[in-house]
Amino acid sequence: VAGIVALAAWQPWRTPSAVTAASSDASVAQVEPLSIPAEADVLVFGDSWTYGSAATLPTDGYAYRLGDLTGWNVTVDGVRGSGYMKPGIDGPDFGMRARMLDPDADYDLIVIQGSINDRLQGERGYREAVEATWDTFERTYPNAQIVVFGPTPHEFPVDEGTARIDRDLEAAADERDWWYISPLQEQWITPANYLEMIDVGAGAKHPSDNGHAYLAEKLAQALSDRSATTDAGATVEDAPAGP
């Protein structure tokens, strides 16, 4: 615990590139505000964090809680262990999974989460895998608004592979004028709240119930902050404060 407190003061995850990216508003100004209906149809697509790993029940995961907070009709598509390049435990990689989605669905908003699972796969071919996956989403759901929800730290100090993924996803989203939400840069999880939010025991460094509730509230607020209307944030303001 003392080591974690010391890390909180040191903040080793605040790399120069992360600080620079977090403080830059130039690209954000070019992104159109979200317009999310009060009863939106939303797809949250991602890895084990989206699946709800380490929650008491998977349906207590942040993606499900997001629907409870906002009143949106949320479809959750999370596969444990998966990434843009890495196949998962319960299904294939992001690209193949994107091609398997229901083409008849009519989503108002798609949130693509993660993934730290690509951190050991190396940089070669990563950006191409991301672009191909995102192209599939755009072709399949041309009317949907797409937000990229970057990797959330699962340990400290933050792995360089995780930091690289965060930078790469932000740059790729920037090129498409998509909103990018970075829990890493915005310091949602820090050494100070790490043990409260992350289950380091049986949960294998996934969010605890407190962590999933916290992530749902942070994501709901982040989407509200990027919205042109108050609909997205109406129930967020009434929700209990995060831990």
mmCIF file of all heavy atoms in Angstrom, residues 53-78:
data_model
loop_
_atom_site.group_PDB
_atom_site.id
_atom_site.type_symbol
_atom_site.label_atom_id
_atom_site.label_comp_id
_atom_site.label_asym_id
_atom_site.label_seq_id
_atom_site.Cartn_x
_atom_site.Cartn_y
_atom_site.Cartn_z
ATOM 1 N N SER A 53 -16.044 -8.923 -16.820
ATOM 2 C CA SER A 53 -15.178 -9.772 -16.012
ATOM 3 C C SER A 53 -14.914 -9.162 -14.642
ATOM 4 O O SER A 53 -14.717 -7.948 -14.521
ATOM 5 C CB SER A 53 -13.847 -10.005 -16.733
ATOM 6 O OG SER A 53 -14.026 -10.845 -17.850
ATOM 7 N N ALA A 54 -14.888 -10.029 -13.629
ATOM 8 C CA ALA A 54 -14.622 -9.712 -12.216
ATOM 9 C C ALA A 54 -15.790 -9.043 -11.511
ATOM 10 O O ALA A 54 -15.747 -8.858 -10.296
ATOM 11 C CB ALA A 54 -13.357 -8.887 -12.043
ATOM 12 N N ALA A 55 -16.843 -8.662 -12.235
ATOM 13 C CA ALA A 55 -18.062 -8.217 -11.560
ATOM 14 C C ALA A 55 -18.725 -9.438 -10.929
ATOM 15 O O ALA A 55 -18.490 -10.575 -11.355
ATOM 16 C CB ALA A 55 -19.010 -7.558 -12.552
ATOM 17 N N THR A 56 -19.533 -9.231 -9.909
ATOM 18 C CA THR A 56 -20.223 -10.342 -9.267
ATOM 19 C C THR A 56 -20.991 -11.159 -10.302
ATOM 20 O O THR A 56 -20.967 -12.385 -10.298
ATOM 21 C CB THR A 56 -21.179 -9.837 -8.177
ATOM 22 O OG1 THR A 56 -20.408 -9.138 -7.184
ATOM 23 C CG2 THR A 56 -21.922 -10.972 -7.522
ATOM 24 N N LEU A 57 -21.657 -10.471 -11.211
ATOM 25 C CA LEU A 57 -22.268 -11.061 -12.392
ATOM 26 C C LEU A 57 -21.785 -10.258 -13.596
ATOM 27 O O LEU A 57 -21.621 -9.036 -13.492
ATOM 28 C CB LEU A 57 -23.795 -10.996 -12.322
ATOM 29 C CG LEU A 57 -24.475 -11.801 -11.206
ATOM 30 C CD1 LEU A 57 -25.969 -11.459 -11.168
ATOM 31 C CD2 LEU A 57 -24.270 -13.298 -11.412
ATOM 32 N N PRO A 58 -21.550 -10.899 -14.737
ATOM 33 C CA PRO A 58 -21.144 -10.122 -15.913
ATOM 34 C C PRO A 58 -22.095 -8.966 -16.222
ATOM 35 O O PRO A 58 -21.665 -7.908 -16.690
ATOM 36 C CB PRO A 58 -21.135 -11.165 -17.036
ATOM 37 C CG PRO A 58 -20.835 -12.449 -16.343
ATOM 38 C CD PRO A 58 -21.550 -12.355 -15.020
ATOM 39 N N THR A 59 -23.388 -9.170 -15.934
ATOM 40 C CA THR A 59 -24.366 -8.117 -16.203
ATOM 41 C C THR A 59 -24.280 -6.954 -15.214
ATOM 42 O O THR A 59 -25.034 -5.990 -15.331
ATOM 43 C CB THR A 59 -25.786 -8.697 -16.193
ATOM 44 O OG1 THR A 59 -25.990 -9.472 -15.004
ATOM 45 C CG2 THR A 59 -26.014 -9.579 -17.411
ATOM 46 N N ASP A 60 -23.362 -7.052 -14.249
ATOM 47 C CA ASP A 60 -23.044 -5.909 -13.384
ATOM 48 C C ASP A 60 -21.880 -5.106 -13.948
ATOM 49 O O ASP A 60 -21.410 -4.162 -13.311
ATOM 50 C CB ASP A 60 -22.674 -6.387 -11.968
ATOM 51 C CG ASP A 60 -23.862 -6.962 -11.216
ATOM 52 O OD1 ASP A 60 -25.001 -6.514 -11.483
ATOM 53 O OD2 ASP A 60 -23.657 -7.859 -10.378
ATOM 54 N N GLY A 61 -21.387 -5.481 -15.127
ATOM 55 C CA GLY A 61 -20.269 -4.788 -15.751
ATOM 56 C C GLY A 61 -20.626 -3.385 -16.188
ATOM 57 O O GLY A 61 -21.803 -3.020 -16.306
ATOM 58 N N TYR A 62 -19.595 -2.585 -16.473
ATOM 59 C CA TYR A 62 -19.798 -1.159 -16.769
ATOM 60 C C TYR A 62 -20.707 -0.935 -17.969
ATOM 61 O O TYR A 62 -21.491 0.020 -18.000
ATOM 62 C CB TYR A 62 -18.439 -0.470 -17.001
ATOM 63 C CG TYR A 62 -17.944 -0.573 -18.418
ATOM 64 C CD1 TYR A 62 -18.314 0.384 -19.375
ATOM 65 C CD2 TYR A 62 -17.143 -1.631 -18.828
ATOM 66 C CE1 TYR A 62 -17.900 0.267 -20.688
ATOM 67 C CE2 TYR A 62 -16.720 -1.749 -20.131
ATOM 68 C CZ TYR A 62 -17.099 -0.803 -21.055
ATOM 69 O OH TYR A 62 -16.705 -0.922 -22.365
ATOM 70 N N ALA A 63 -20.607 -1.800 -18.993
ATOM 71 C CA ALA A 63 -21.397 -1.585 -20.210
ATOM 72 C C ALA A 63 -22.888 -1.737 -19.932
ATOM 73 O O ALA A 63 -23.716 -0.977 -20.450
ATOM 74 C CB ALA A 63 -20.945 -2.557 -21.295
ATOM 75 N N TYR A 64 -23.245 -2.721 -19.117
ATOM 76 C CA TYR A 64 -24.644 -2.898 -18.732
ATOM 77 C C TYR A 64 -25.101 -1.744 -17.834
ATOM 78 O O TYR A 64 -26.221 -1.235 -17.971
ATOM 79 C CB TYR A 64 -24.822 -4.224 -17.996
ATOM 80 C CG TYR A 64 -24.538 -5.436 -18.852
ATOM 81 C CD1 TYR A 64 -23.257 -6.002 -18.876
ATOM 82 C CD2 TYR A 64 -25.531 -6.012 -19.637
ATOM 83 C CE1 TYR A 64 -22.984 -7.119 -19.660
ATOM 84 C CE2 TYR A 64 -25.271 -7.135 -20.419
ATOM 85 C CZ TYR A 64 -23.986 -7.679 -20.425
ATOM 86 O OH TYR A 64 -23.726 -8.772 -21.205
ATOM 87 N N ARG A 65 -24.232 -1.355 -16.908
ATOM 88 C CA ARG A 65 -24.561 -0.254 -15.993
ATOM 89 C C ARG A 65 -24.742 1.069 -16.757
ATOM 90 O O ARG A 65 -25.503 1.936 -16.323
ATOM 91 C CB ARG A 65 -23.471 -0.095 -14.938
ATOM 92 C CG ARG A 65 -23.428 -1.238 -13.921
ATOM 93 C CD ARG A 65 -22.226 -1.077 -13.004
ATOM 94 N NE ARG A 65 -22.110 -2.126 -12.018
ATOM 95 C CZ ARG A 65 -22.530 -2.043 -10.769
ATOM 96 N NH1 ARG A 65 -23.150 -0.942 -10.354
ATOM 97 N NH2 ARG A 65 -22.349 -3.047 -9.926
ATOM 98 N N LEU A 66 -24.041 1.206 -17.881
ATOM 99 C CA LEU A 66 -24.197 2.411 -18.696
ATOM 100 C C LEU A 66 -25.650 2.568 -19.135
ATOM 101 O O LEU A 66 -26.211 3.670 -19.101
ATOM 102 C CB LEU A 66 -23.282 2.341 -19.916
ATOM 103 C CG LEU A 66 -23.370 3.515 -20.892
ATOM 104 C CD1 LEU A 66 -22.852 4.804 -20.253
ATOM 105 C CD2 LEU A 66 -22.585 3.213 -22.173
ATOM 106 N N GLY A 67 -26.270 1.469 -19.538
ATOM 107 C CA GLY A 67 -27.674 1.519 -19.920
ATOM 108 C C GLY A 67 -28.573 1.887 -18.755
ATOM 109 O O GLY A 67 -29.531 2.654 -18.912
ATOM 110 N N ASP A 68 -28.264 1.356 -17.572
ATOM 111 C CA ASP A 68 -29.061 1.678 -16.386
ATOM 112 C C ASP A 68 -28.963 3.165 -16.046
ATOM 113 O O ASP A 68 -29.953 3.791 -15.640
ATOM 114 C CB ASP A 68 -28.590 0.848 -15.189
ATOM 115 C CG ASP A 68 -28.820 -0.644 -15.381
ATOM 116 O OD1 ASP A 68 -29.714 -0.999 -16.174
ATOM 117 O OD2 ASP A 68 -28.105 -1.442 -14.750
ATOM 118 N N LEU A 69 -27.777 3.724 -16.206
ATOM 119 C CA LEU A 69 -27.565 5.133 -15.858
ATOM 120 C C LEU A 69 -28.257 6.086 -16.824
ATOM 121 O O LEU A 69 -28.765 7.130 -16.419
ATOM 122 C CB LEU A 69 -26.061 5.451 -15.850
ATOM 123 C CG LEU A 69 -25.246 5.038 -14.625
ATOM 124 C CD1 LEU A 69 -23.766 5.297 -14.878
ATOM 125 C CD2 LEU A 69 -25.700 5.798 -13.390
ATOM 126 N N THR A 70 -28.240 5.736 -18.098
ATOM 127 C CA THR A 70 -28.674 6.677 -19.133
ATOM 128 C C THR A 70 -30.086 6.430 -19.651
ATOM 129 O O THR A 70 -30.680 7.321 -20.268
ATOM 130 C CB THR A 70 -27.713 6.609 -20.331
ATOM 131 O OG1 THR A 70 -27.714 5.265 -20.838
ATOM 132 C CG2 THR A 70 -26.289 6.997 -19.921
ATOM 133 N N GLY A 71 -30.596 5.216 -19.450
ATOM 134 C CA GLY A 71 -31.882 4.875 -20.038
ATOM 135 C C GLY A 71 -31.775 4.416 -21.477
ATOM 136 O O GLY A 71 -32.791 4.181 -22.143
ATOM 137 N N TRP A 72 -30.561 4.253 -21.981
ATOM 138 C CA TRP A 72 -30.359 3.790 -23.345
ATOM 139 C C TRP A 72 -30.573 2.290 -23.441
ATOM 140 O O TRP A 72 -30.412 1.552 -22.467
ATOM 141 C CB TRP A 72 -28.949 4.121 -23.830
ATOM 142 C CG TRP A 72 -28.614 5.573 -23.840
ATOM 143 C CD1 TRP A 72 -29.480 6.623 -23.929
ATOM 144 C CD2 TRP A 72 -27.305 6.147 -23.734
ATOM 145 N NE1 TRP A 72 -28.804 7.815 -23.907
ATOM 146 C CE2 TRP A 72 -27.465 7.560 -23.785
ATOM 147 C CE3 TRP A 72 -26.021 5.621 -23.614
ATOM 148 C CZ2 TRP A 72 -26.388 8.435 -23.714
ATOM 149 C CZ3 TRP A 72 -24.944 6.488 -23.543
ATOM 150 C CH2 TRP A 72 -25.127 7.885 -23.598
ATOM 151 N N ASN A 73 -30.919 1.834 -24.642
ATOM 152 C CA ASN A 73 -31.023 0.407 -24.931
ATOM 153 C C ASN A 73 -29.646 -0.070 -25.379
ATOM 154 O O ASN A 73 -29.267 0.096 -26.538
ATOM 155 C CB ASN A 73 -32.069 0.171 -26.027
ATOM 156 C CG ASN A 73 -32.164 -1.285 -26.428
ATOM 157 O OD1 ASN A 73 -31.896 -2.176 -25.639
ATOM 158 N ND2 ASN A 73 -32.531 -1.515 -27.683
ATOM 159 N N VAL A 74 -28.889 -0.633 -24.447
ATOM 160 C CA VAL A 74 -27.489 -0.971 -24.704
ATOM 161 C C VAL A 74 -27.334 -2.452 -25.037
ATOM 162 O O VAL A 74 -27.766 -3.322 -24.277
ATOM 163 C CB VAL A 74 -26.603 -0.618 -23.493
ATOM 164 C CG1 VAL A 74 -25.161 -1.081 -23.719
ATOM 165 C CG2 VAL A 74 -26.631 0.887 -23.237
ATOM 166 N N THR A 75 -26.728 -2.712 -26.191
ATOM 167 C CA THR A 75 -26.328 -4.063 -26.574
ATOM 168 C C THR A 75 -24.858 -4.226 -26.228
ATOM 169 O O THR A 75 -24.021 -3.410 -26.630
ATOM 170 C CB THR A 75 -26.528 -4.286 -28.083
ATOM 171 O OG1 THR A 75 -27.918 -4.139 -28.405
ATOM 172 C CG2 THR A 75 -26.051 -5.671 -28.500
ATOM 173 N N VAL A 76 -24.541 -5.252 -25.469
ATOM 174 C CA VAL A 76 -23.172 -5.467 -25.009
ATOM 175 C C VAL A 76 -22.544 -6.615 -25.789
ATOM 176 O O VAL A 76 -23.099 -7.718 -25.846
ATOM 177 C CB VAL A 76 -23.142 -5.768 -23.496
ATOM 178 C CG1 VAL A 76 -21.702 -6.041 -23.032
ATOM 179 C CG2 VAL A 76 -23.746 -4.608 -22.716
ATOM 180 N N ASP A 77 -21.390 -6.344 -26.393
ATOM 181 C CA ASP A 77 -20.649 -7.357 -27.142
ATOM 182 C C ASP A 77 -19.201 -7.341 -26.653
ATOM 183 O O ASP A 77 -18.365 -6.615 -27.180
ATOM 184 C CB ASP A 77 -20.720 -7.066 -28.646
ATOM 185 C CG ASP A 77 -20.176 -8.208 -29.496
ATOM 186 O OD1 ASP A 77 -19.195 -8.854 -29.078
ATOM 187 O OD2 ASP A 77 -20.732 -8.452 -30.586
ATOM 188 N N GLY A 78 -18.935 -8.112 -25.616
ATOM 189 C CA GLY A 78 -17.593 -8.181 -25.052
ATOM 190 C C GLY A 78 -17.072 -9.604 -25.087
ATOM 191 O O GLY A 78 -17.768 -10.539 -24.699
#
